[in-house]
Amino acid sequence: MSVLETKEDLKVLVETLNFREKVDRALLLIREAYKKYGDGLVVANSLGKDSVAVWDLAKRVDPKIRGFIVTTRFKPAETVAFMHEEVARYPELKIYKNDIKIDDKLYETDPDQCCDLLKVEPVKRAVDEMEVDCWVTGLRCTEGRTRTDYTEVEERDKGLIKLNPILVWKEREIWQYLALYGVNVNPLYAEGYRSLGCAPCTKITSDDNERAGRWVGTSKCGGECGIHTRPLKTNADGDGI
Ligand code: SF4
Protein backbone atom coordinates (compact mmCIF):
# COMPACT_ATOMS: atom_id res chain seq x y z
CA MET A 1 0.00 0.00 0.00
CA SER A 2 1.23 3.48 -0.81
CA VAL A 3 2.12 5.69 2.17
CA LEU A 4 -0.42 8.18 0.76
CA GLU A 5 -3.17 5.67 1.54
CA THR A 6 -2.09 4.45 4.98
CA LYS A 7 -4.12 5.53 7.99
CA GLU A 8 -1.68 4.94 10.81
CA ASP A 9 -2.21 6.23 14.32
CA LEU A 10 -0.54 9.64 14.28
CA LYS A 11 0.10 9.74 18.02
CA VAL A 12 2.02 6.47 17.74
CA LEU A 13 4.06 7.84 14.82
CA VAL A 14 4.85 11.04 16.76
CA GLU A 15 6.28 9.05 19.65
CA THR A 16 7.84 6.01 17.98
CA LEU A 17 9.48 7.20 14.75
CA ASN A 18 12.97 8.56 15.17
CA PHE A 19 14.22 11.71 13.42
CA ARG A 20 15.68 9.84 10.42
CA GLU A 21 12.46 7.88 9.95
CA LYS A 22 10.35 11.05 10.09
CA VAL A 23 12.54 12.71 7.45
CA ASP A 24 12.31 9.62 5.23
CA ARG A 25 8.52 9.44 5.69
CA ALA A 26 8.08 13.11 4.76
CA LEU A 27 10.26 12.70 1.66
CA LEU A 28 8.30 9.59 0.65
CA LEU A 29 4.95 11.36 1.08
CA ILE A 30 6.08 14.28 -1.08
CA ARG A 31 7.73 11.99 -3.66
CA GLU A 32 4.60 9.81 -4.03
CA ALA A 33 2.32 12.83 -4.26
CA TYR A 34 4.60 14.53 -6.81
CA LYS A 35 4.57 11.37 -8.90
CA LYS A 36 0.76 11.40 -8.78
CA TYR A 37 0.05 15.14 -9.19
CA GLY A 38 3.16 16.39 -11.02
CA ASP A 39 3.17 20.17 -11.47
CA GLY A 40 -0.22 20.31 -9.73
CA LEU A 41 1.62 19.74 -6.46
CA VAL A 42 2.46 23.12 -4.91
CA VAL A 43 3.95 23.99 -1.51
CA ALA A 44 2.30 26.66 0.66
CA ASN A 45 5.25 28.48 2.23
CA SER A 46 4.37 30.80 5.13
CA LEU A 47 8.10 31.49 5.73
CA GLY A 48 7.79 30.03 9.25
CA LYS A 49 10.14 27.32 10.52
CA ASP A 50 7.80 24.46 9.53
CA SER A 51 7.22 25.85 6.05
CA VAL A 52 10.91 26.32 5.29
CA ALA A 53 11.55 22.73 6.43
CA VAL A 54 8.81 21.44 4.09
CA TRP A 55 10.06 23.66 1.28
CA ASP A 56 13.58 22.24 1.71
CA LEU A 57 12.22 18.66 1.74
CA ALA A 58 10.27 19.36 -1.46
CA LYS A 59 13.37 20.81 -3.14
CA ARG A 60 15.19 17.59 -2.31
CA VAL A 61 12.44 15.62 -4.05
CA ASP A 62 12.57 17.83 -7.15
CA PRO A 63 14.01 21.36 -7.50
CA LYS A 64 11.25 22.20 -10.00
CA ILE A 65 8.45 21.94 -7.40
CA ARG A 66 6.60 25.26 -7.18
CA GLY A 67 5.37 27.15 -4.15
CA PHE A 68 3.40 30.20 -3.07
CA ILE A 69 3.77 32.69 -0.25
CA VAL A 70 0.85 34.67 1.14
CA THR A 71 1.92 37.97 2.63
CA THR A 72 -0.05 40.86 4.17
CA ARG A 73 0.50 44.59 4.80
CA PHE A 74 0.98 43.68 8.48
CA LYS A 75 3.93 41.27 8.17
CA PRO A 76 6.97 42.30 10.24
CA ALA A 77 9.79 43.98 8.29
CA GLU A 78 12.08 41.04 9.10
CA THR A 79 9.61 38.60 7.52
CA VAL A 80 9.26 40.80 4.42
CA ALA A 81 13.04 40.99 4.03
CA PHE A 82 13.33 37.22 4.51
CA MET A 83 10.56 36.70 1.92
CA HIS A 84 12.49 38.71 -0.69
CA GLU A 85 15.66 36.73 0.04
CA GLU A 86 13.79 33.43 -0.39
CA VAL A 87 12.12 34.50 -3.63
CA ALA A 88 15.45 35.71 -5.04
CA ARG A 89 16.90 32.29 -4.23
CA TYR A 90 13.84 30.34 -5.43
CA PRO A 91 12.09 32.14 -8.31
CA GLU A 92 9.56 29.28 -8.43
CA LEU A 93 8.02 30.79 -5.26
CA LYS A 94 5.15 33.12 -6.15
CA ILE A 95 3.93 35.88 -3.82
CA TYR A 96 0.20 36.53 -3.27
CA LYS A 97 -1.20 39.54 -1.41
CA ASN A 98 -4.59 41.24 -1.07
CA ASP A 99 -4.31 45.05 -1.22
CA ILE A 100 -8.02 45.65 -0.65
CA LYS A 101 -8.89 48.74 1.42
CA ILE A 102 -9.88 47.76 4.96
CA ASP A 103 -10.29 49.48 8.30
CA ASP A 104 -6.80 50.06 9.78
CA LYS A 105 -7.73 48.30 13.01
CA LEU A 106 -9.81 45.47 11.55
CA TYR A 107 -7.40 43.03 13.20
CA GLU A 108 -8.68 44.32 16.55
CA THR A 109 -12.37 44.70 15.79
CA ASP A 110 -12.84 41.58 13.63
CA PRO A 111 -9.69 39.47 13.29
CA ASP A 112 -11.62 36.67 11.58
CA GLN A 113 -12.70 38.98 8.79
CA CYS A 114 -9.22 40.49 8.58
CA CYS A 115 -7.66 37.02 8.13
CA ASP A 116 -10.36 36.04 5.64
CA LEU A 117 -9.58 39.05 3.48
CA LEU A 118 -5.81 39.24 3.83
CA LYS A 119 -4.88 35.57 4.12
CA VAL A 120 -7.62 33.20 2.96
CA GLU A 121 -8.53 35.16 -0.19
CA PRO A 122 -4.95 35.18 -1.56
CA VAL A 123 -4.62 31.44 -0.86
CA LYS A 124 -7.80 30.81 -2.86
CA ARG A 125 -6.36 32.90 -5.69
CA ALA A 126 -3.07 30.96 -5.56
CA VAL A 127 -4.89 27.60 -5.66
CA ASP A 128 -6.91 28.79 -8.64
CA GLU A 129 -4.20 30.58 -10.66
CA MET A 130 -1.47 28.00 -10.06
CA GLU A 131 -3.93 25.19 -10.91
CA VAL A 132 -3.18 23.37 -7.68
CA ASP A 133 -4.38 19.78 -7.32
CA CYS A 134 -2.38 19.02 -4.18
CA TRP A 135 -1.12 21.67 -1.78
CA VAL A 136 1.62 20.82 0.69
CA THR A 137 1.60 22.35 4.16
CA GLY A 138 3.82 22.54 7.23
CA LEU A 139 1.07 21.58 9.71
CA ARG A 140 2.16 19.57 12.76
CA CYS A 141 -0.27 17.81 15.13
CA THR A 142 1.73 18.81 18.24
CA GLU A 143 1.61 22.56 17.52
CA GLY A 144 -1.43 23.35 19.62
CA ARG A 145 -5.07 22.64 20.42
CA THR A 146 -6.33 23.49 16.91
CA ARG A 147 -3.98 21.13 15.08
CA THR A 148 -4.73 17.72 16.56
CA ASP A 149 -7.36 16.50 14.09
CA TYR A 150 -5.54 16.52 10.76
CA THR A 151 -4.34 13.54 8.73
CA GLU A 152 -1.31 13.33 6.46
CA VAL A 153 -3.48 13.27 3.32
CA GLU A 154 -6.86 15.04 3.27
CA GLU A 155 -9.52 16.09 0.79
CA ARG A 156 -11.68 18.54 2.71
CA ASP A 157 -12.15 20.67 -0.39
CA LYS A 158 -13.56 18.50 -3.18
CA GLY A 159 -10.88 18.03 -5.83
CA LEU A 160 -8.11 19.61 -3.78
CA ILE A 161 -5.75 17.29 -1.91
CA LYS A 162 -3.90 18.61 1.09
CA LEU A 163 -0.66 16.89 2.02
CA ASN A 164 0.78 17.40 5.53
CA PRO A 165 4.13 15.59 5.26
CA ILE A 166 5.59 16.72 8.61
CA LEU A 167 2.39 16.25 10.60
CA VAL A 168 4.09 13.85 13.05
CA TRP A 169 7.21 15.95 13.64
CA LYS A 170 7.84 17.62 16.99
CA GLU A 171 9.05 21.21 17.29
CA ARG A 172 12.50 19.98 18.33
CA GLU A 173 12.75 17.83 15.18
CA ILE A 174 12.02 20.87 13.00
CA TRP A 175 14.95 22.73 14.53
CA GLN A 176 17.07 19.58 14.27
CA TYR A 177 16.31 19.38 10.54
CA LEU A 178 16.92 23.10 9.91
CA ALA A 179 20.25 22.99 11.76
CA LEU A 180 21.49 19.75 10.20
CA TYR A 181 20.58 20.77 6.64
CA GLY A 182 21.64 24.40 7.01
CA VAL A 183 18.24 25.85 6.07
CA ASN A 184 17.86 29.65 6.32
CA VAL A 185 15.24 30.78 8.86
CA ASN A 186 13.39 33.98 9.66
CA PRO A 187 15.65 35.99 12.03
CA LEU A 188 12.66 36.69 14.33
CA TYR A 189 13.06 33.24 15.87
CA ALA A 190 16.28 34.48 17.48
CA GLU A 191 14.17 37.08 19.32
CA GLY A 192 12.15 34.35 21.06
CA TYR A 193 9.11 33.88 18.82
CA ARG A 194 7.95 30.29 18.36
CA SER A 195 5.15 30.84 15.84
CA LEU A 196 5.18 33.76 13.38
CA GLY A 197 2.34 35.73 11.84
CA CYS A 198 1.36 39.36 11.28
CA ALA A 199 3.03 41.89 13.63
CA PRO A 200 -0.08 43.11 15.51
CA CYS A 201 -1.26 39.54 16.14
CA THR A 202 1.96 37.82 17.19
CA LYS A 203 3.62 37.97 20.61
CA ILE A 204 6.53 36.26 22.32
CA THR A 205 5.27 33.96 25.08
CA SER A 206 6.73 31.32 27.38
CA ASP A 207 3.52 29.25 27.25
CA ASP A 208 3.84 25.51 26.54
CA ASN A 209 1.45 25.88 23.60
CA GLU A 210 3.59 26.75 20.58
CA ARG A 211 0.84 28.95 19.08
CA ALA A 212 -0.10 30.71 22.33
CA GLY A 213 1.43 33.98 21.08
CA ARG A 214 -1.00 34.23 18.16
CA TRP A 215 -3.99 36.64 18.45
CA VAL A 216 -3.39 37.16 22.19
CA GLY A 217 -6.34 38.92 23.86
CA THR A 218 -8.86 38.00 21.14
CA SER A 219 -11.30 35.12 20.65
CA LYS A 220 -8.81 33.69 18.15
CA CYS A 221 -6.02 33.35 20.77
CA GLY A 222 -3.78 30.39 19.89
CA GLY A 223 -6.12 29.66 16.99
CA GLU A 224 -6.14 29.67 13.19
CA CYS A 225 -6.20 32.29 10.44
CA GLY A 226 -8.67 30.25 8.41
CA ILE A 227 -6.38 28.91 5.68
CA HIS A 228 -6.75 25.45 7.22
CA THR A 229 -10.41 25.77 8.19
CA ARG A 230 -12.19 27.61 5.34
CA PRO A 231 -13.08 26.31 1.84
CA LEU A 232 -10.36 27.16 -0.66
CA LYS A 233 -11.90 26.12 -3.95
CA THR A 234 -13.93 28.93 -5.48
CA ASN A 235 -16.63 26.47 -6.58
CA ALA A 236 -16.38 24.30 -3.48
CA ASP A 237 -19.57 22.52 -2.62
CA GLY A 238 -18.08 20.42 0.17
CA ASP A 239 -17.49 21.31 3.80
CA GLY A 240 -14.30 23.21 3.09
CA ILE A 241 -11.11 22.63 5.03
S1 SF4 B 1 -3.02 37.80 11.47
FE1 SF4 B 1 -3.93 39.73 12.26
S2 SF4 B 1 -3.26 41.37 10.86
FE2 SF4 B 1 -2.85 39.38 9.87
S3 SF4 B 1 -4.60 39.03 8.58
FE3 SF4 B 1 -5.05 37.99 10.53
S4 SF4 B 1 -6.09 39.49 11.87
FE4 SF4 B 1 -5.20 40.60 10.09
Side-chain angles (χ1 to χ4, degrees):
M1 182 188 272
S2 147
V3 73
L4 289 176
E5 291 158 14
T6 57
K7 292 272 179 271
E8 293 175 71
D9 184 339
L10 291 179
K11 286 197 184 81
V12 172
L13 294 181
V14 169
E15 297 305 333
T16 58
L17 294 187
N18 65 37
F19 173 71
R20 178 78 262 161
E21 289 166 334
K22 288 186 184 182
V23 171
D24 287 346
R25 185 178 180 88
L27 287 168
L28 185 60
L29 280 162
I30 299 170
R31 194 172 295 121
E32 284 195 357
Y34 189 51
K35 212 161 140 193
K36 190 165 176 184
Y37 298 103
D39 209 31
L41 178 140
V42 176
V43 178
N45 187 340
S46 73
L47 302 168
K49 63 188 189 309
D50 309 299
S51 281
V52 293
V54 166
W55 180 245
D56 192 78
L57 287 160
K59 294 284 105 179
R60 289 170 60 196
V61 169
D62 195 312
K64 291 194 297 299
I65 289 179
R66 300 175 301 155
F68 65 84
I69 294 170
V70 166
T71 191
T72 77
R73 69 200 73 181
F74 296 116
K75 289 286 181 182
E78 292 88 342
T79 300
V80 175
F82 181 60
M83 174 178 77
H84 291 306
E85 283 167 26
E86 288 291 284
V87 173
R89 186 165 173 213
Y90 301 107
E92 63 276 19
L93 268 175
K94 205 166 169 210
I95 298 173
Y96 283 86
K97 187 178 178 200
N98 189 353
D99 289 321
I100 188 175
K101 189 166 168 33
I102 57 167
D103 188 293
D104 280 352
K105 290 287 172 78
L106 190 59
Y107 56 79
E108 277 180 11
T109 55
D110 192 343
D112 281 328
Q113 193 194 16
C114 189
C115 279
D116 269 352
L117 291 168
L118 303 190
K119 289 187 166 182
V120 180
E121 187 281 332
V123 174
K124 284 183 181 168
R125 210 158 10 104
V127 165
D128 190 36
E129 286 177 16
M130 295 181 83
E131 300 183 357
V132 178
D133 297 314
C134 172
W135 67 303
V136 186
T137 85
L139 279 179
R140 287 186 299 105
C141 62
T142 53
E143 270 180 286
R145 62 177 170 80
T146 57
R147 301 219 158 165
T148 55
D149 289 334
Y150 294 98
T151 54
E152 287 171 314
V153 185
E154 307 182 348
E155 189 182 6
R156 294 197 186 177
D157 258 312
K158 210 158 179 264
L160 178 64
I161 298 299
K162 181 172 163 195
L163 184 73
N164 306 312
I166 58 165
L167 195 64
V168 298
W169 291 32
K170 296 178 183 172
E171 185 182 21
R172 187 252 304 159
E173 289 157 341
I174 292 293
W175 288 112
Q176 198 173 347
Y177 182 89
L178 299 174
L180 287 169
Y181 290 92
V183 180
N184 293 343
V185 296
N186 189 319
L188 285 173
Y189 286 112
E191 305 296 320
Y193 291 94
R194 289 172 69 200
S195 176
L196 294 176
C198 295
C201 305
T202 310
K203 302 270 181 287
I204 296 173
T205 74
S206 54
D207 195 288
D208 270 354
N209 178 347
E210 211 175 310
R211 292 175 62 80
R214 306 292 293 274
W215 299 285
V216 173
T218 77
S219 55
K220 267 165 98 75
C221 187
E224 296 289 330
C225 64
I227 288 171
H228 297 294
T229 53
R230 300 263 202 271
L232 292 184
K233 287 284 246 191
T234 318
N235 303 321
D237 52 6
D239 296 334
I241 56 167

